[in-house]
Amino acid sequence: MEVHLHQPETLEEALEILSRDPENAKVLAGGQSLMVLLRSGLLRPDHLVSLRRIEKLQAVAVRDNVIRLGAMVTIRALETSPVVRQALPMISEAAASIGSIPIRNLGTLAGNLCHALIGADLPPSLIALGATIRVVSARGRRTIAAEQFFRGVMQTALEADEIVEAIDIPLLPLDGWGQAYVKVSQRTVDPALIGVAVVLRAEGSTIGDIAIAVGGAGEAPVRACCAERAFRGQPISWGDQFERCLAIRDDVECIADTHASAWYRREILPAVLHRAMARAVRRAREATVQGM
Ligand SMILES: Cc1cc2nc3c(=O)[nH]c(=O)nc-3n(C[C@H](O)[C@H](O)[C@H](O)COP(=O)(O)OP(=O)(O)OC[C@H]3O[C@@H](n4cnc5c(N)ncnc54)[C@H](O)[C@@H]3O)c2cc1C
């Protein structure tokens, strides 16, 4: 059957097209994942609404201690943008770990989130950083906390007529804060079997605020509250921290798929957290020294 490709130049136009028949239309971003689904016949929409010509979806802006990343910002831009690298090193780190340069050149931030692949590399960092996702439809606008956005394997909180327009991420003070994303995957181009994002603040010799999120382990990325409790207020000194990392096993029910067994994911989960914690602590200490 014929698929109609629409290439609107404004968001309003895109929303209007989508609202005519949302159940039979799909938004097209970089096409890296969508085209695979179309070619394999798993999806058969009548309409594709491309966002490529909508310039405002490609913007990166900083205002009132919030960085706003447009939905169509490419993964490669997240990796290389000096603004993102300086303000959100964990996002650049996660972006750099995705696929290959051609994939990152075409793939977009919102495409990575909305496809909601198990092991997608950007969601854990956005959850740990407390990001909110700005969503718009012909019915109006709403914001969804990144923590609430991912519902399961390739399932999100988005309605069929909604478009993600931007992601807002609160900026952290540089002094004393460290962030890190660490993943384990089968091959370097693959999504994470386990991906852990850590954001923490070093308060003297203890860990103060901390947020941890994990992707790849369960059906959707989640905040790791048990692991956070195991570390919050604890001495920062490194050495016996592996015991604390075991708490993350209480945060997520590991799944089995063609890439790894549930047992394997559960085994490596604390080790990936251990590595991410070590890196975040080192960066927090460096930030404290530089800030003095
Ligand atoms: C070879 C290969 C290796 C990969 N490796 C990795 C990896 O290591 N880590 C990783 O995380 N990912 C990986 N990916 C996935 C890749 O990151 C995704 O394909 C990409 O993020 C999808 O982005 P896109 O812009 O191409 O989205 P598209 O393919 O265009 O769209 C994907 C989905 O999101 C929806 N969508 C897109 N934008 C919006 C929007 N603004 N509003 C509403 N819905 C929207 C589309 O309708 C579609 O359902 C890999 C993909 C390939 C092909």
Side-chain angles (χ1 to χ4, degrees):
M1 201 172 59
E2 206 176 313
V3 182
H4 300 279
L5 174 65
H6 304 264
Q7 302 193 72
E9 306 219 339
T10 66
L11 189 54
E12 292 68 28
E13 207 187 324
L15 292 172
E16 196 277 319
I17 299 165
L18 200 54
S19 70
R20 285 182 217 154
D21 190 6
E23 298 301 334
N24 289 310
K26 280 305 276 183
V27 169
L28 175 67
Q32 294 294 280
S33 298
L34 191 56
M35 295 314 285
V36 176
L37 298 177
L38 296 178
R39 277 200 209 106
S40 62
L42 285 170
L43 269 182
R44 295 176 188 277
D46 293 338
H47 301 275
L48 286 179
V49 185
S50 169
L51 303 181
R52 278 197 202 175
R53 293 189 179 166
I54 306 175
E55 267 179 39
K56 78 172 194 183
L57 297 183
Q58 293 161 22
V60 174
V62 180
R63 223 174 94 189
D64 298 335
N65 280 329
V66 171
I67 186 164
R68 175 164 294 173
L69 302 170
M72 289 294 285
V73 170
T74 64
I75 296 169
R76 181 73 172 152
L78 296 176
E79 176 190 358
T80 56
S81 151
V83 177
V84 179
R85 285 171 75 107
Q86 209 244 325
L88 304 166
M90 181 163 67
I91 297 283
S92 293
E93 193 164 38
S97 79
I98 291 177
S100 57
I101 290 178
I103 301 287
R104 303 201 286 275
N105 275 335
L106 282 172
T108 62
L109 170 57
N112 189 268
L113 306 186
C114 297
H115 188 53
L117 194 69
I118 297 178
D121 285 296
L122 296 175
S125 301
L126 294 177
I127 292 173
L129 288 165
T132 50
I133 299 173
R134 288 172 60 87
V135 167
V136 61
S137 72
R139 295 172 287 119
R141 279 196 162 73
R142 64 182 179 126
T143 55
I144 307 170
E147 208 175 327
Q148 310 293 330
F149 187 75
F150 305 98
R151 296 280 167 87
V153 183
M154 294 172 77
Q155 284 173 13
T156 68
L158 268 191
E159 302 288 343
D161 64 344
E162 288 181 318
I163 291 177
V164 170
E165 63 174 334
I167 289 82
D168 285 343
I169 307 175
L171 292 175
L172 298 169
L174 292 178
D175 182 29
W177 286 85
Q179 44 182 279
Y181 176 73
V182 172
K183 87 190 246 193
V184 166
S185 57
Q186 270 181 332
R187 303 169 304 165
T188 48
V189 294
D190 289 337
L193 285 178
I194 300 289
V196 174
V198 174
V199 183
L200 59 82
R201 182 181 160 88
E203 288 176 357
S205 58
T206 57
I207 294 172
D209 287 340
I210 181 165
I212 302 172
V214 55
E219 294 197 339
V222 289
R223 181 105 181 243
C225 299
C226 298
E228 289 172 8
R229 275 196 294 278
F231 280 102
R232 193 173 289 120
Q234 296 300 320
I236 210 166
S237 61
W238 211 244
D240 59 349
Q241 301 284 24
F242 191 76
E243 290 297 311
R244 296 191 203 287
C245 292
L246 294 172
I248 198 171
R249 287 185 175 153
D250 295 332
D251 284 302
V252 57
E253 178 121 4
C254 288
I255 50 153
D257 61 13
T258 51
H259 305 294
S261 64
W263 174 86
Y264 181 73
R265 284 186 160 94
R266 203 173 140 76
E267 278 300 301
I268 65 170
L269 187 52
V272 182
L273 173 59
H274 192 248
R275 215 181 291 167
M277 281 295 300
R279 200 180 288 174
V281 162
R282 177 170 50 75
R283 288 176 179 167
R285 281 178 161 157
E286 285 167 5
T288 308
V289 172
Q290 277 165 18
M292 276 164 63

